[in-house]
Amino acid sequence: MDSLDEEEVYEVEKVIDIKWEENCHGKEEERYRVRWKGFKPIHDTWEPFSSFMTESQILVQNFRERYESLKKETETSSSKVCHVNILSEEIELILKKRKQKTETKPITIYFVKWHGYDCEDATWEADSELIHASDKIETFLRKQHVDYSKHHSEYFSDEALLTPDDPHPRRCMEDELFSDFKKGKSVYTRVKSRKSSDKVHDKSTGVHPSITDGLPKYNPKRVQEVFKKQINFTLSLSKQEFCSAVQNGMFL
């Protein structure tokens, strides 16, 4: 049993993590993350060993043995594991992340779903509190990157775009545009320099219809919408993101 105050006694369900902090004497002291029996993860607290009563000290010792065992496995492992991911055993998955302002600098916090608890009991955890769950963070960030790539690549694989074999002038102008992108020419200048005179000349009527007008196989409005999406997406990219997209064949 552990006492959080003098009037009420709480029972430790388990110890799930460890960290080191300076005490009032300037010395590093171990702190243990406690999950309290009958309480949810949002009520977890960090406690020094001295605050545990005799019965719960056994739980701390068992946790330390488990931690030291994982630490040895990490040290002897050939993989590039930097931390003892003992907290990962309690985490089901990370749902999302965001930045949070502090008095010193912004920090990254993650929305964590815990094993044995519903999504409504998920908690926001600072990255500094998830040092021993680095594998869970890596998995989340890798999945986020894949989802981002899939989401943005749809602009360049839409069925509304003309096929490479289509001889229509719109395809020629599109190829020219993306060729300039690939050569490193200014995206902004190339797009903004498209004048109203850059239209397809129809010799049979003597007029200059829109570049997306008169496509027999496709809906012109649909093609125009997709092309606008491509241009808007391209203009939203940073130089580094654009170069990466070109290397990955996104503009081919």
Side-chain angles (χ1 to χ4, degrees):
M1 304 284 286
D2 281 317
S3 177
L4 295 183
D5 52 53
E6 297 180 359
E7 299 179 355
E8 195 167 4
V9 176
Y10 299 91
E11 184 177 352
V12 174
E13 180 179 334
K14 53 185 170 181
V15 178
I16 64 174
D17 199 7
I18 184 175
K19 67 178 179 179
W20 288 261
E21 290 183 350
E22 285 190 1
N23 58 22
C24 57
H25 303 293
K27 296 182 179 180
E28 275 199 346
E29 185 178 41
E30 294 175 352
R31 299 273 178 171
Y32 298 91
R33 182 166 181 164
V34 177
R35 177 93 16 110
W36 301 97
K37 191 171 184 178
F39 291 85
K40 296 181 178 180
I42 196 172
H43 299 113
D44 290 355
T45 59
W46 291 92
E47 305 292 338
F49 183 78
S50 58
S51 68
F52 291 89
M53 299 180 70
T54 305
E55 304 89 62
S56 56
Q57 286 180 359
I58 298 176
L59 295 176
V60 178
Q61 292 171 358
N62 291 339
F63 171 83
R64 279 308 306 254
E65 290 176 2
R66 173 65 177 154
Y67 177 83
E68 292 299 331
S69 175
L70 289 176
K71 186 177 180 180
K72 288 181 180 179
E73 291 179 12
T74 301
E75 292 172 348
T76 57
S77 174
S78 59
S79 61
K80 297 179 181 179
V81 180
C82 299
H83 301 289
V84 180
N85 292 317
I86 193 168
L87 183 60
S88 297
E89 298 174 354
E90 302 295 328
I91 296 175
E92 184 174 338
L93 75 161
I94 295 175
L95 300 173
K96 53 186 175 180
K97 72 169 185 175
R98 63 181 174 87
K99 290 288 185 179
Q100 184 178 62
K101 292 183 178 180
T102 64
E103 295 181 355
T104 54
K105 61 180 181 179
I107 62 172
T108 302
I109 58 176
Y110 296 90
F111 200 49
V112 177
K113 184 182 184 304
W114 302 90
H115 278 301
Y117 294 88
D118 297 329
C119 286
E120 62 184 18
D121 298 321
T123 59
W124 285 103
E125 305 286 339
D127 52 1
S128 60
E129 301 290 301
L130 298 175
I131 291 177
H132 294 138
S134 60
D135 57 334
K136 293 290 185 178
I137 292 179
E138 290 174 5
T139 299
F140 167 77
L141 295 177
R142 186 162 53 248
K143 180 180 182 301
Q144 190 179 52
H145 175 73
V146 171
D147 290 345
Y148 175 87
S149 299
K150 286 182 178 179
H151 173 71
H152 290 285
S153 64
E154 69 182 17
Y155 293 135
F156 302 93
S157 59
D158 197 287
E159 62 181 5
L161 292 178
L162 298 174
T163 63
D165 297 328
D166 197 319
H168 194 279
R170 184 217 187 264
R171 165 54 64 181
C172 298
M173 296 190 71
E174 185 185 71
D175 288 343
E176 180 187 352
L177 177 63
F178 290 124
S179 176
D180 286 347
F181 290 164
K182 194 173 182 180
K183 291 176 181 177
K185 293 185 179 181
S186 170
V187 176
Y188 180 85
T189 302
R190 183 66 181 86
V191 174
K192 295 300 182 182
S193 65
R194 291 172 59 88
K195 301 179 181 180
S196 59
S197 59
D198 289 339
K199 298 179 179 179
V200 181
H201 179 68
D202 189 339
K203 294 182 180 180
S204 63
T205 61
V207 297
H208 297 270
S210 169
I211 193 173
T212 56
D213 285 346
L215 299 179
K217 297 181 181 180
Y218 302 95
N219 184 336
K221 184 177 180 180
R222 174 63 172 160
V223 175
Q224 188 178 37
E225 290 176 353
V226 174
F227 189 67
K228 284 182 178 179
K229 283 184 179 180
Q230 292 179 348
I231 297 301
N232 289 335
F233 171 67
T234 303
L235 291 175
S236 70
L237 297 176
S238 66
K239 182 177 180 181
Q240 183 177 359
E241 290 172 334
F242 178 75
C243 292
S244 176
V246 171
Q247 291 175 357
N248 293 331
M250 190 175 289
F251 292 106
L252 298 181

